[in-house]
Structure formats: structure tokens, C-alpha cells
């Protein structure tokens, strides 16, 4: 079990241990590794170093020497979209993968050992949203939270929350709590009384070309300034910056179309 800190919400403080079910890592699968590394290094100030070597070419992103995310190479023979994927912590990836199957989800990769970084599987929930499960080695995990360039929240964007929330509650023992005003289909997933992820049902507003998906939020000092850098680097703004209860937020893509969000703490 890694001792890396875990974020508790869009502006959450770090904790000292990954409880099973807590988002513990985010990983981007991209086509052009060199161009993608340049984009995120310029946008977030990441330093990038190789490893692990399996299951394919991979680099880890660091902020001040602390690991925050990973970037892997999409297999050239597979026509998959570039996408960010959150990994949920597990004490037993094989058992979690079997539970995914029993709960009408699917496992597309693994379980397998990823070099010296732990054991992992990649699957999808009953709505088709892709997520990872990781039984991490001691040294691997997102080791910093609440600083610019670090992931601070993960949110499942789907058609409706009820069915898919039951899947994740069964899988990891989350307690789902409705959040927001009447008519706003949003559920926060809690572990040990802490919010660790969100599920947002958007109905027909869900993009047909993307379908249900997990969205990772990265901390930004100045969202508007970050959007200027992003577009100059070839990224695209999907949802313009707006003020929310958790701060200023925008949804964007990188040059290959991988979606993510930027969030700035309220002032």
C-alpha cells in the first residue's frame, strides 16, 4: 500500500494513505509521445522521466520531484482515442477485476504486472466509462495534491447516476450522496466520510462521440491564463471558464483530443 497522499476533493487536502477505491493515479494514453510531453510540460511545468517499461512506452510526470501523472503510448494498431484514465486503488487487483465482471462491467487489460510499479487492470463500468485499478508498489502514486499542475478531482460524466453509482458502491463500498440543487443529477462518492470522486448525470447533453467518461481536474493558479497557454500550444477549450462553488473551472482538450478540466481555487 503506497504512502502517497490522496486528494479529497477539487480543493482537498492530502492524506497519508490510499484507501481502496480512492483515485491514486491518472494516466494519459497518447499517439505522439514527444509532442504530448512537450504540450503538458509547457502547460503545467511538468518534468518527465521514463518508466515503467511495461506494458508499453511510458513516462512519469513530476512536479518538484514528486510524481503526479503518467503518459503512455497508444498501440499503433489500435484505433483508440487519446484519453486520460483515473486509477482507483485496490489491495487485490485480481479480486477487484473479478468483481467488475460480476457487476456487469468489463476488463479490457490485465490484470498484469507493470514492471516494478505494481499490478493493474483497465476496465469499463456498465455505461462504458473506462477506468483503471492499481495495486501499487510502495513508491508509485500521485504524491502531491492541491498545487498547480496536480490532479485534484475525478468526475464520471455519464447519462444518469443511479445505475452506475450502484456499480461503484458495490465495487469499492462507496457511500453515494446526492449533491447540488433539485434537478441536478450529481452524486459524490465518499469513503470513510470523505468525498473522493463525483458522478455527474448529464442525460442527452453527453457528447455522442465520447460517451460516458471519467474527467480529471488539474489545479491551476489562473484558469484564464492557463487557457491562453493551452490554445497557443494547440489545445482546445470545450467549456469556457466559469465560476463555480469549487472555484473557476474550464473543460478542455489537448492537441490529440484528450479531455480534462482546469480548476482554480476560489479567491
Amino acid at each position: 500500500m503506497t504512502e502517497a497522499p490522496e486528494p479529497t476533493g477539487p480543493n482537498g487536502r492530502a492524506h497519508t494513505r490510499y484507501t481502496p477505491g480512492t483515485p491514486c493515479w491518472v494516466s494519459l494514453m497518447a499517439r505522439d509521445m514527444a509532442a504530448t510531453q512537450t504540450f503538458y510540460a509547457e502547460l503545467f511545468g511538468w518534468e518527465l522521466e521514463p518508466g515503467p517499461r511495461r506494458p508499453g512506452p511510458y513516462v512519469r510526470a513530476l512536479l518538484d520531484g514528486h510524481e503526479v501523472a503518467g503518459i503512455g503510448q497508444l498501440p499503433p494498431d489500435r484505433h483508440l482515442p487519446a484519453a486520460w484514465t483515473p486509477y482507483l486503488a485496490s489491495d487485490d487487483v485480481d479480486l477487484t477485476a473479478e468483481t467488475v465482471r460480476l457487476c456487469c462491467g468489463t476488463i479490457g487489460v490485465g490484470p498484469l504486472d507493470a514492471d516494478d510499479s505494481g499490478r493493474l487492470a483497465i476496465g469499463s463500468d456498465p455505461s462504458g466509462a473506462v477506468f483503471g485499478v492499481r495495486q501499487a508498489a510502495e513508491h508509485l502514486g500521485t504524491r502531491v495534491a492541491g498545487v498547480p499542475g496536480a490532479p485534484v478531482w475525478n468526475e464520471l460524466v455519464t447519462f444518469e447516476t443511479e445505475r452506475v453509482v450502484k456499480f461503484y458502491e458495490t465495487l469499492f463500498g462507496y457511500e453515494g450522496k446526492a449533491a447540488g440543487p433539485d434537478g441536478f443529477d450529481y452524486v459524490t462518492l465518499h469513503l470513510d466520510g470523505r468525498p473522493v470522486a463525483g458522478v455527474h448525470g448529464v442525460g442527452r447533453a453527453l457528447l455522442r462521440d465520447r460517451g460516458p467518461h471519467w474527467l480529471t481536474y488539474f489545479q491551476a493558479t489562473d484558469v484564464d491564463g492557463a487557457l491562453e497557454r493551452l490554445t497557443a500550444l494547440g489545445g482546445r477549450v470545450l467549456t469556457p471558464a466559469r465560476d463555480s462553488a469549487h472555484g473557476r473551472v474550464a473543460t478542455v482538450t489537448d492537441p490529440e483530443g484528450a479531455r480534462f478540466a482546469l480548476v482554480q481555487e476560489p479567491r
Side-chain angles (χ1 to χ4, degrees):
M1 182 67 67
T2 179
E3 295 299 317
E6 59 194 30
T8 63
N11 307 305
R13 295 182 354 183
H15 288 256
T16 58
R17 178 179 177 273
Y18 284 122
T19 302
T22 304
C24 62
W25 188 247
V26 289
S27 188
L28 171 66
M29 297 302 291
R31 296 183 186 85
D32 187 332
M33 288 281 285
T36 298
Q37 290 178 65
T38 299
F39 172 83
Y40 285 99
E42 292 289 335
L43 182 63
F44 290 136
W46 287 350
E47 300 174 2
L48 297 138
E49 65 177 27
R53 295 183 299 277
R54 293 178 58 196
Y58 198 83
V59 296
R60 287 182 242 186
L62 295 86
L63 284 171
D64 295 326
H66 299 289
E67 295 172 350
V68 293
I71 301 173
Q73 176 76 59
L74 275 170
D77 58 340
R78 299 188 68 183
H79 301 289
L80 298 171
W84 280 100
T85 300
Y87 283 77
L88 308 176
S90 172
D91 287 336
D92 187 335
V93 164
D94 296 80
L95 179 59
T96 301
E98 183 60 27
T99 306
V100 168
R101 296 187 184 99
L102 291 173
C103 294
C104 300
T106 61
I107 295 295
V109 177
L112 55 82
D113 293 322
D115 206 20
D116 62 346
S117 62
R119 192 161 175 78
L120 64 84
I122 301 174
S124 58
D125 64 31
S127 75
V130 175
F131 65 97
V133 181
R134 183 176 289 275
Q135 183 179 338
E138 288 294 324
H139 66 281
L140 184 65
T142 302
R143 292 182 172 269
V144 61
V147 300
V152 290
W153 188 246
N154 289 279
E155 181 177 280
L156 173 59
V157 183
T158 188
F159 293 106
E160 56 85 25
T161 61
E162 184 175 2
R163 181 177 177 223
V164 75
V165 165
K166 289 180 180 178
F167 168 83
Y168 287 101
E169 287 176 334
T170 301
L171 190 61
F172 285 115
Y174 297 120
E175 181 185 3
K177 296 183 179 181
D182 291 343
F184 187 71
D185 190 11
Y186 196 97
V187 174
T188 303
L189 302 177
H190 290 70
L191 286 172
D192 299 329
R194 299 182 296 106
V196 296
V199 183
H200 188 190
V202 297
R204 294 181 180 179
L206 191 66
L207 296 174
R208 290 185 178 181
D209 66 331
R210 187 65 176 87
H213 61 280
W214 280 91
L215 183 69
T216 296
Y217 287 70
F218 291 92
Q219 186 78 36
T221 303
D222 175 6
V223 164
D224 296 274
L227 293 181
E228 292 183 8
R229 291 197 305 277
L230 178 135
T231 53
L233 292 165
R236 187 161 62 99
V237 178
L238 296 180
T239 304
R242 62 180 178 84
D243 294 321
S244 74
H246 298 291
R248 196 155 176 79
V249 180
T251 306
V252 300
T253 77
D254 67 19
E256 291 193 357
R259 290 177 172 86
F260 60 100
L262 301 169
V263 59
Q264 173 186 336
E265 290 186 358
R267 293 178 178 176

